[in-house]
């Protein structure tokens, strides 16, 4: 995610327009991902959509959101999802799932900013 922000900064400095920089970065990420993954051209629209969503998260929500989305998407790659808890890789999946749930719960708690979870106003009305 830091490389993406650096490339965006570089493109903004070169092209002098933010929209053109985002388009150029989108094309670059799409092409590099297609070349590195050596996937068929049938996957190009999906790779383009994925890179667009990553850049949208960066533009709309910032660096932390991009880092978090890349972290959670890579967890699905490195720890395969399973519903069979007797499989040999199920323990690593459950640990990754626990990490995801704990991070999401902490993010929700800190987003409240000290407010109570349930204020009790529903019962008063």
């Amino acid at each position: 995610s830091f490389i993406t922000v650096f490339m965006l900064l570089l493109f903004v400095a070169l092209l002098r327009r933010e929209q053109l920089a985002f388009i150029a970065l989108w094309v670059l990420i799409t092409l590099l991902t297609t070349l590195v993954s050596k996937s068929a051209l049938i996957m190009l629209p999906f790779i383009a959509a994925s890179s667009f969503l990553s850049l949208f998260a960066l533009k709309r929500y910032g660096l932390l959101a991009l880092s978090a989305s890349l972290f959670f998407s890579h967890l699905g790659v490195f720890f395969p999802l399973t519903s069979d808890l007797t499989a040999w890789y199920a323990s690593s999946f459950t640990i990754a799932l626990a990490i995801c749930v704990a991070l999401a719960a902490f993010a929700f708690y800190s987003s409240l900013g000290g407010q109570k979870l349930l204020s009790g106003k529903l019962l008063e009305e």
Side-chain angles (χ1 to χ4, degrees):
S1 57
F2 287 107
I3 293 172
T4 304
V5 171
F6 175 72
M7 292 300 295
L8 180 63
L9 177 68
L10 185 69
F11 280 141
V12 168
L14 289 175
L15 299 174
R16 303 280 185 199
R17 286 191 174 169
E18 189 176 346
Q19 296 299 327
L20 286 177
F22 271 103
I23 292 170
L25 185 61
W26 174 67
V27 169
L28 179 71
I29 290 174
T30 302
L31 290 177
L32 286 177
T33 306
T34 304
L35 292 175
V36 168
S37 66
K38 297 178 184 174
S39 59
L41 287 178
I42 194 75
M43 291 298 294
L44 187 63
F46 299 108
I47 293 172
S50 173
S51 61
F52 175 77
L53 288 175
S54 295
L55 287 177
F56 177 76
L58 176 64
K59 183 175 174 65
R60 179 68 176 97
Y61 301 108
L63 180 64
L64 181 63
L66 179 63
S67 298
S69 66
L70 288 175
F71 174 74
F72 285 112
S73 68
H74 281 88
L75 276 180
V77 173
F78 294 119
F79 301 106
L81 303 175
T82 183
S83 61
D84 181 19
L85 296 178
T86 60
W88 64 271
Y89 52 89
S91 62
S92 61
F93 163 70
T94 53
I95 292 170
L97 183 64
I99 290 171
C100 288
V101 169
L103 283 174
F106 176 72
F108 177 71
Y109 174 74
S110 57
S111 72
L112 290 176
Q115 296 177 1
K116 292 182 180 178
L117 181 61
L118 298 173
S119 62
K121 292 182 181 179
L122 292 174
L123 297 176
E124 293 176 4
E125 294 178 0

